[in-house]
Amino acid sequence: MNEQRRDLGELGVPRRYMKECLAAIVHTIVFHRKVDAVCRPHEVLIERLDVPYVCFHDEKIRSYVDGELNRFLDRLWSQPPTMASVRVRSCQLAVSMTETITKKSLFGDTTEEVCYERWILTVSEAPDYPEPVRLDRERKLAATLRDRLLGIVRLCDENRKVVPSFSLDSSKKTSSEPLGFQILSADQRSRSDSAGWGWNIPFFK
């Protein structure tokens, strides 16, 4: 299976808004790509920015995303600043959509998670907004985030054919099954990686 790679560009966010913005992006990708999910949608509002997004009402998915974003942010905050004067840090975040493949062999069936699409976002820590301009900067950040979320939805809609066909029979699903996606940082590799990351499909056309 040929892995499709989508570059979401760079997003600069002050620390106080970072986790909520990343959660919106990750959940938007997962919601529009995880077609085998059988749970109902749930709307979330980032109140400080007045930006809504939709995620699955599934505790396993939400708990995994929350935990992996915490780990990613721990790595980001531990990075040495790329610009010492303003203490800017930068790191890449990837959301890998995976399919579980069953392979037959002489010793029985084995399963393997194969990545069919990888979304890559460069995350930068922006300086916090000074009080006199905070409201204006928050509006600009909100507009940028809305733009990014709409762009993800558009890309998902334009590239629906890359998503494998899944069984939607919820009676066959178990709690031990893979989630169908992985969240990785630049210093990690998924189990299906054999080459470096790189990307060839730009977010902006």
Side-chain angles (χ1 to χ4, degrees):
M1 177 183 296
N2 293 325
E3 176 186 306
Q4 298 290 314
R5 305 192 180 196
R6 312 202 185 282
D7 176 19
L8 296 178
E10 183 170 1
L11 184 66
V13 185
R15 188 166 183 154
R16 69 169 67 202
Y17 313 99
M18 182 74 77
K19 187 176 179 180
E20 289 178 297
C21 290
L22 295 184
I25 288 172
V26 171
H27 279 294
T28 298
I29 293 170
V30 172
F31 183 79
H32 289 276
R33 272 302 190 240
K34 190 171 167 56
V35 298
D36 61 330
V38 293
C39 42
R40 68 182 187 273
H42 173 70
E43 184 174 287
V44 178
L45 177 66
I46 303 177
E47 294 185 1
R48 287 183 291 187
L49 300 177
D50 193 30
V51 175
Y53 65 91
V54 179
C55 67
F56 287 116
H57 192 68
D58 183 297
E59 186 55 37
K60 185 178 179 182
I61 292 176
R62 289 192 293 178
S63 177
Y64 172 76
V65 172
D66 187 68
E68 291 305 311
L69 287 182
N70 283 338
R71 279 184 272 277
F72 172 79
L73 291 174
D74 285 344
R75 292 187 184 95
L76 178 62
W77 307 144
S78 67
Q79 297 290 323
T82 54
M83 296 175 59
S85 59
V86 291
R87 297 184 60 80
V88 172
R89 294 172 173 82
S90 182
C91 192
Q92 283 189 325
L93 176 73
V95 180
S96 299
M97 303 306 300
T98 61
E99 177 187 14
T100 302
I101 303 293
T102 300
K103 295 184 176 181
K104 296 184 179 297
S105 68
L106 294 174
F107 306 103
D109 295 349
T110 59
T111 60
E112 177 185 353
E113 280 189 81
V114 177
C115 177
Y116 63 85
E117 184 178 56
R118 195 188 312 276
W119 300 74
I120 301 171
L121 175 70
T122 301
V123 181
S124 296
E125 177 192 11
D128 200 8
Y129 303 144
E131 195 62 45
V133 297
R134 177 166 294 170
L135 187 59
D136 181 59
R137 298 286 179 84
E138 284 180 345
R139 287 172 179 160
K140 290 179 179 177
L141 174 60
T144 298
L145 182 58
R146 288 192 196 98
D147 235 19
R148 199 61 55 96
L149 298 181
L150 287 173
I152 291 170
V153 174
R154 173 177 53 81
L155 273 178
C156 286
D157 187 58
E158 291 174 353
N159 297 277
R160 283 178 286 186
K161 291 184 178 180
V162 307
V163 181
S165 298
F166 292 97
S167 169
L168 298 181
D169 186 352
S170 60
S171 65
K172 295 181 180 179
K173 295 185 178 295
T174 67
S175 59
S176 61
E177 285 189 358
L179 284 171
F181 68 98
Q182 298 175 25
I183 299 172
L184 305 166
S185 64
D187 58 350
Q188 294 177 301
R189 284 190 177 186
S190 69
R191 290 183 290 277
S192 59
D193 279 340
S194 58
W197 276 11
W199 51 75
N200 51 24
I201 302 179
F203 178 79
F204 299 105
K205 295 183 177 179

